[in-house]
Amino acid sequence: MPAQITVDENYLRALAEKLMTMRSQVTQVRAGVNPLDPAHPHGERFNSLQVRAGSDKFAAGVNLKSRIAAVGSQADQKLTAYDQKLSSHAQGIAHIISSSDNVERANNSYATFNSYLGGPSPSPVPGLGSGPTTT
């Protein structure tokens, strides 16, 4: 039997943190920095790569320069898309955690308010977890 996976708040927070770490690494790569060695920049942004391949009269050199520029631009576009996706996923997870916290606060508020009224105490609803019910 496969191991059971528990998705709780700690797991979600760790996942969001990992996504933001990956996003930071993508940003570093786009800036020409090796994320494994950030103290020593190793290159330039992909969308500004330039090659010196002879004069403009050397057809093969001109072709190489344009292809390098196109590939660099495409790589930068893909990295930008990854950056946006990682950010979006991390924000979505943060929203899930926040929504869960808001539901928990609302439930606590309801339970407190209900105790002032002397009404029935909340009891679990089968299949819905612990939610308020009236009898």
Side-chain angles (χ1 to χ4, degrees):
M1 185 157 140
Q4 183 176 1
I5 299 173
T6 302
V7 178
D8 58 8
E9 185 173 346
N10 290 334
Y11 177 86
L12 291 175
R13 287 189 190 281
L15 180 59
E17 185 177 323
K18 179 67 174 173
L19 291 172
M20 291 310 290
T21 298
M22 290 171 60
R23 182 179 183 217
S24 173
Q25 291 173 341
V26 167
T27 301
Q28 288 175 331
V29 168
R30 284 188 66 224
V33 176
N34 179 351
L36 302 177
D37 188 15
H40 302 96
H42 297 288
E44 295 186 28
R45 297 182 73 89
F46 286 118
N47 62 353
S48 62
L49 290 176
Q50 295 181 4
V51 175
R52 293 184 185 154
S55 72
D56 290 340
K57 294 179 183 178
F58 181 51
V62 171
N63 186 29
L64 178 65
K65 283 194 265 187
S66 68
R67 287 182 181 257
I68 293 288
V71 168
S73 179
Q74 290 171 353
D76 188 68
Q77 288 173 0
K78 288 210 181 268
L79 288 171
T80 299
Y82 289 139
D83 179 72
Q84 291 170 350
K85 284 181 183 182
L86 290 167
S87 176
S88 175
H89 292 323
Q91 288 175 10
I93 291 170
H95 179 72
I96 289 169
I97 293 169
S98 176
S99 294
S100 176
D101 290 345
N102 290 339
V103 167
E104 201 59 40
R105 279 191 289 279
N107 284 341
N108 288 336
S109 177
Y110 174 77
T112 301
F113 179 73
N114 193 36
S115 69
Y116 291 127
L117 298 176
S121 61
S123 59
V125 175
L128 294 178
S130 59
T133 63
T134 56
T135 53

